[in-house]
Amino acid sequence: MILDLKKYVFYNKGDIFQYVASIAGAFSIMSSGVNLGWTSPYLPILTRDDSPIPTTSEQGSWCAIAPLLGSPFGALSAMYLSDILGRKITTLLMAPIVAICFVLIAFSKNIWELTAYRFIIGATEGASYTALPMYIGEISDPKIRGFLTATIAIFAISGTLLINVIGSFMGIFTSSIICAGIPLIHFIIFAFMPESPYYYIKKNNHLAAKQSLEIFRGKADVVKEMENLRRAVTRQERSTKTGIIDIFNVASTRKACYIFLILNLTNKFSGKNPCLFYTETIFTESGSSINPTLSVIIYCSVELIAVVISTYFIVDTIGKRKLMITSTAGCALSVFCLGMFFYLKDFHIGVVENVDWLPITALVLYNIFFSVGLSFGPVSILSELFPTNVKAKALGIADTFSVLMGSLVSKLFQITMDEFGSMSVPFLFFAVCCIIGLVFIIKYFPETKGKTLEEIQQYLIGENNTSLEMANCNRM
C-alpha cells in the first residue's frame, strides 16, 4: 500500500516522510528491546524461592539468551525474503508473529514455554534487523542518514526502558498484553509507507521507484537523483557474483566485512548484552544501597537520553568515526572501574563500603559512552557498506554473526561468574576487549558522513578516495 502523493498533496514537505517511515519501522525494533530487556525485571522473580514459575539459574540463563539463539533463523530467512518480497513487506510480516507471542507469554505456565516464545520473537528480531536497516539506509538523504539509521538503536533502548518501568510494578501477564500492542502500532503505520526506491529499481519498476523517491524527498523534481540511483543500482547489480561466498571473495565487500567485524566484535565484547540481561542482578550483587529496580530505570533512561542527543545533534555533524573512538575508549574505562569494584568487594572485604555508588555510576557512564557510538555503529554502518546485489545476504549473515557473538558473551558472563564466584573476571575481560577494539577502530574505521551510498561503494572499490576524504582512514 502506497500513499497517493498527488491526491494528498504531500509535495514540498521536505524530509518528513523519511522520518515518519524510519520511526514507524523502528517500532518493530522496540519489541526487540522489550524482549531483550525482559529478563532484567523478571529473571530475579523467576529464580527466587517463591517464584510463580520455578526456574534455576541455568534455566534462567537459557531464557535470557533465547532471543539471540532465535535471531539467526529470522536473519537467514530475511536475507532472501528482502530481495523477493521487499524490505518493507519482510519487516511488516514480523508484526503479527510478535503480537501473538507476547500474548502467549502472558499465559505461559513454565520456563520452557517462556523460553520458546522469546526464541520465536528473537527470530522475528533477526528478520527485522536484516530488512529494516536496508530500508532506512536506502530511503535516507545522506545529510540525515546517520540519525535515521540510529532510530533503530533509539527504539531498541526505548523498549528496554519500557519493560523495566512496567516490569517494576506489573506482573508478566499484564506487561505482556501491553507489549503485544507495540507490533500492532508498527503494522498499522508502516503499512502506509512506500517501499525503498532501490528495491523498485532492482525489480526494474522505475515508475514506482520515482513515486517512492518523490514521497521521501517531498518534491516532484527527483529526475537527477533518480538517474543517479538507477545508475548506481545498475552498476551494483551488474555483477554476477551474488552468492554468499562472493561476499568474501570480492575485495570491496570483503573490506566492508572487515569494517563490520571490527565494530561488531567491539560492540559485543564490551559487555553490553550481559549488562542488559543482568542489570538488576548486577546492582543487587554490588550491595549498593540504591534500590536495584530504580537503578535499572535510571540506567536505561540515561542510555536513551544519551543516544537521542548523540544521534540527533552529533552524528551527522561530527561523523561516526570520532563517535566510535570516543565511545569505545569510554566503555573500556567504565567496565574496568566496574571490574575493579567487584574485585575489591569480593577479595578485599570492607574496602568498598564507602563507594557503593560506584557500580551505578560506572554502569551509567558505560551506557552513555556505549550510546554515543557503539550502540548504533554496527547497524548504521551495515546499511551503508554493501552494494545492492549482495546487501540482503550480507545483512542476514551479519545479524546471524552478531547474535551468535551476543549469545557467546552472555553465556561466557554467566559461566565465569558462576565459576569464579565474582563479577570482576568478566568485566575486566570486557575492558581488555574494548582496548583491543579501540586500536582496530582507530586504524581501520572510515568516515561516511555526508556520503551517498554510491560514493561509499566507490571508496570500498578503491576509486575516488581523495575526493571522498574518508577521515584519513588506512585502506585495508
Side-chain angles (χ1 to χ4, degrees), residues 22 25-26 28-29 78 82 87 91 125-140 145 148-153 190 196 376 378-385 391 395-396 398-399 453:
S22 298
S28 66
I29 304 300
S82 294
R87 289 78 160 111
T91 305
E125 292 165 9
S128 295
Y129 269 105
T130 299
L132 189 61
M134 276 190 287
Y135 178 83
I136 295 178
E138 292 174 355
I139 69 170
S140 303
R145 189 175 62 237
L148 293 183
T149 53
T151 56
I152 293 174
F190 196 56
S196 156
F376 60 84
V379 173
S380 62
I381 204 71
L382 271 176
S383 67
E384 301 174 334
L385 290 178
K391 185 177 290 187
L395 265 70
D399 185 73
L453 298 183

Side-chain angles (χ1 to χ4, degrees), residues 23-33 91 98 125 128 132 182-183 186:
I23 291 172
F27 265 97
S28 66
I29 304 300
M30 180 178 280
S31 295
S32 170
T91 305
V98 175
E125 292 165 9
S128 295
L132 189 61
I182 297 174
H186 155 67

Side-chain angles (χ1 to χ4, degrees), residues 142 145 314-320 384 447-451:
R145 189 175 62 237
I314 301 176
V315 66
D316 286 317
T317 302
I318 71 173
K320 294 187 182 74
E384 301 174 334
E447 182 55 78
T448 60
K449 176 173 69 82
K451 306 299 183 292

Side-chain angles (χ1 to χ4, degrees), residues 262-277:
I262 291 168
L263 269 191
N264 184 263
L265 288 177
T266 306
N267 172 294
K268 297 303 179 185
F269 281 86
S270 73
K272 179 57 180 177
N273 280 350
C275 288
L276 177 64
F277 294 157

